[in-house]
């Protein structure tokens, strides 16, 4: 029950602020949330970047390998050179 009364009080409060008041409230809340963001350190960022690049290279090699295998299978089945 407390949640509905809080929600209705919030709705009443927001509607009484007007259009520009709600926009200002929105930007204040955005800034508040941005301040909560934890940014990675330089070492963490380097480590994350390295892991992503290694993963991308691995996936590229996997796809190239599949392409090579499928190419040879198709050439064998259809008898092209």
């Amino acid at each position: 029950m407390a949640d509905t009364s809080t929600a209705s009080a919030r709705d009443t409060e927001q509607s009484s602020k007007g259009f520009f008041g709600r926009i200002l409230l929105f930007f204040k809340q955005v800034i508040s949330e941005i301040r909560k963001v934890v940014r990675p350190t330089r070492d963490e960022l380097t480590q994350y970047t390295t892991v992503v690049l290694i993963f991308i290279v691995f996936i590229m090699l996997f796809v190239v390998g599949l392409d090579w295998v499928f190419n040879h299978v198709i050439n064998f089945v259809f008898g092209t050179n």
Side-chain angles (χ1 to χ4, degrees), residues 5 15-16 26 28 41-42 54 57 59 62 67-68 73 76:
S5 64
S15 64
S16 66
F26 170 76
K28 285 181 182 179
T41 63
R42 186 175 187 90
I54 289 172
V57 168
I59 295 299
F62 180 72
D67 183 52
W68 184 81
V73 168
F76 176 75

Side-chain angles (χ1 to χ4, degrees), residues 30-47:
V30 167
I31 290 170
S32 172
E33 291 298 320
I34 288 175
R35 287 187 178 144
K36 294 178 188 177
V37 172
V38 178
R39 290 168 182 83
T41 63
R42 186 175 187 90
D43 291 337
E44 290 173 336
L45 189 61
T46 303
Q47 183 180 5

